[in-house]
Amino acid sequence: MTIASGDLLARMLGTRDEILTLIEDRLGLKVVARGTDMHIPDCDTGLAEDLASVLEQFADMTVRGACPSGVEIRCALDMVAEGRRPNLLSLLERVVCVTNRGQPVRPFTERQREYVEAIEDNDVVFAIGPAGTGKTYLAVAMAVAAFKASKITRIVLVRPVVEAGERLGYLPGDLMEKVEPYIRPLYDAFYDLLPSERFNRYIEKGIIEIAPLAYMRGRSLNSSFIILDEAQNTTREQMKMFLTRLGLGSKAVITGDITQVDLPGNKESGLRSVRDILKGVEGVAFCDLSNYDVVRHDMVQRIVRAYEEYEKNGENSKALVS
């Protein structure tokens, strides 16, 4: 393929030809760039066409002044490795909101875009996937966008108070101070999207409310955007209780990772069973994210993949023994 100019090619490839390094790392392909030409020798035709499509989109993004970031490049190449041809320009145009630093918040992958669209089109959305796939961050971004557009009047953050494999013992302070450590990941997202003074003011006025899951019983939440985070740590009974809190003009987004259940004993996770229970119910959507959607440090994706491979091999070993 030929790029319009050498300057454009240099800007597109990034510092130290970052894109070429990532292509070799993710796809095992050597791309040769000379002058304004890019050549992919010794490559399957289908894979070469998919990669050429992605490179052309990278060039278009660069022309528009939106040079692709390392995360965007990595996610796009992972989709090519899956045999999928991403539409990066549609992702570029799909801005959810803007951060405090003026950076647009948008999906990086096709599955994340489907997740955002599911929240727009449904009253109840389940996002299930490993750490780092943007489940919570995108839910908070959609909540902030809905509030700014006056579609809802408050945002309710809910989390089960379950410790991740360790006992913290008695926590001092009032209810808010006791619950805050469990809600901190949601705080982090809000601090990125709202000035801290405004966030604190919204908390004081009850526009943003923090609620332990156990305190949700008996409530009816109208005109609200409700986020239940770490939902893998709910029981089946708690999940039913939470879902029946939905009032008029409200949306609920439930996020969780079914590979990281911290429930004590042999209690069944409500997130595991809810898909079968609500299958076919109108207004309910399930979005499955995978390690290909991880948008944190590249190391997180490697760790998720390593654990998945280890657990898969463990299950295969058990099957052979039995």
Side-chain angles (χ1 to χ4, degrees):
M1 59 178 292
T2 300
I3 304 300
S5 70
D7 176 65
L8 174 59
L9 179 60
R11 285 190 290 128
M12 183 187 88
L13 295 181
T15 307
R16 298 179 181 176
D17 294 342
E18 177 186 19
I19 288 181
L20 300 185
T21 302
L22 284 169
I23 290 172
E24 191 166 358
D25 179 50
R26 317 301 284 200
L27 302 177
L29 298 177
K30 185 76 173 177
V31 178
V32 180
R34 291 197 182 102
T36 59
D37 295 329
M38 299 183 73
H39 179 60
I40 312 169
D42 305 320
C43 179
D44 172 80
T45 303
L47 181 59
E49 290 175 351
D50 290 344
L51 179 56
S53 171
V54 168
L55 291 173
E56 287 171 356
Q57 292 180 69
F58 286 163
D60 286 343
M61 292 172 69
T62 305
V63 168
R64 297 183 184 202
C67 295
S69 66
V71 172
E72 288 172 310
I73 297 166
R74 175 168 57 78
C75 289
L77 294 178
D78 284 343
M79 281 189 270
V80 170
E82 278 188 299
R84 304 165 66 194
R85 185 178 294 187
N87 185 345
L88 301 177
L89 297 180
S90 71
L91 298 179
L92 183 66
E93 295 164 356
R94 191 64 185 81
V95 176
V96 175
C97 63
V98 178
T99 69
N100 288 329
R101 299 180 302 279
Q103 297 297 315
V105 176
R106 50 188 171 81
F108 284 113
T109 69
E110 296 286 351
R111 290 193 186 97
Q112 287 187 344
R113 179 181 57 77
E114 291 167 2
Y115 174 35
V116 168
E117 291 175 352
I119 294 174
E120 287 180 335
D121 298 338
N122 296 274
D123 293 327
V124 177
V125 176
F126 291 85
I128 303 171
T133 51
K135 304 183 301 294
T136 301
Y137 189 85
L138 286 174
V140 171
M142 290 294 287
V144 170
F147 178 76
K148 288 182 176 179
S150 301
K151 294 179 179 178
I152 48 109
T153 58
R154 63 176 166 170
I155 300 169
V156 183
L157 312 176
V158 183
R159 238 187 180 209
V161 182
V162 177
E163 294 155 358
E166 56 183 319
R167 305 300 299 173
L168 300 180
Y170 174 76
L171 294 175
D174 59 20
L175 177 61
M176 284 289 295
E177 291 170 328
K178 292 175 189 293
V179 173
E180 186 178 355
Y182 298 94
I183 305 291
R184 180 54 59 180
L186 292 163
Y187 272 41
D188 293 339
F190 272 106
Y191 281 133
D192 196 39
L193 298 168
L194 292 173
S196 58
E197 308 82 21
R198 188 184 306 171
F199 174 70
N200 293 331
R201 188 168 70 250
Y202 285 171
I203 289 283
E204 292 173 3
K205 291 184 175 181
I207 294 172
I208 296 176
E209 179 185 348
I210 299 165
L213 180 60
Y215 283 61
M216 293 294 287
R217 187 174 297 279
R219 300 188 63 185
S220 181
L221 301 172
N222 297 319
S223 190
S224 302
F225 196 115
I226 315 156
I227 300 172
L228 172 59
D229 198 33
E230 297 292 332
Q232 74 273 9
N233 290 327
T234 63
T235 63
R236 182 184 294 185
E237 295 76 19
Q238 287 175 323
M239 180 65 76
K240 178 183 177 182
M241 181 270 290
F242 171 80
L243 292 172
T244 53
R245 301 308 95 204
L246 199 66
L248 297 174
S250 292
K251 282 183 181 288
V253 177
I254 300 95
T255 69
D257 177 2
I258 56 176
T259 69
Q260 298 195 49
V261 177
D262 300 311
L263 289 171
N266 296 318
K267 289 186 177 180
E268 181 187 7
S269 168
L271 190 60
R272 291 184 187 273
S273 58
V274 73
R275 189 192 298 267
D276 292 332
I277 296 170
L278 298 183
K279 184 178 180 180
V281 174
E282 185 178 354
V284 176
F286 288 86
C287 299
D288 295 294
L289 302 167
S290 73
N291 61 68
Y292 287 108
D293 302 295
V294 171
V295 293
R296 287 184 189 166
H297 193 291
D298 197 30
M299 199 68 217
V300 175
Q301 189 180 59
R302 295 178 202 164
I303 290 169
V304 170
R305 284 178 175 171
Y307 268 92
E308 287 180 351
E309 192 64 30
Y310 178 82
E311 288 162 4
K312 183 166 63 176
N313 291 337
E315 289 299 323
N316 291 338
S317 300
K318 289 177 184 178
L320 289 172
V321 171
S322 60

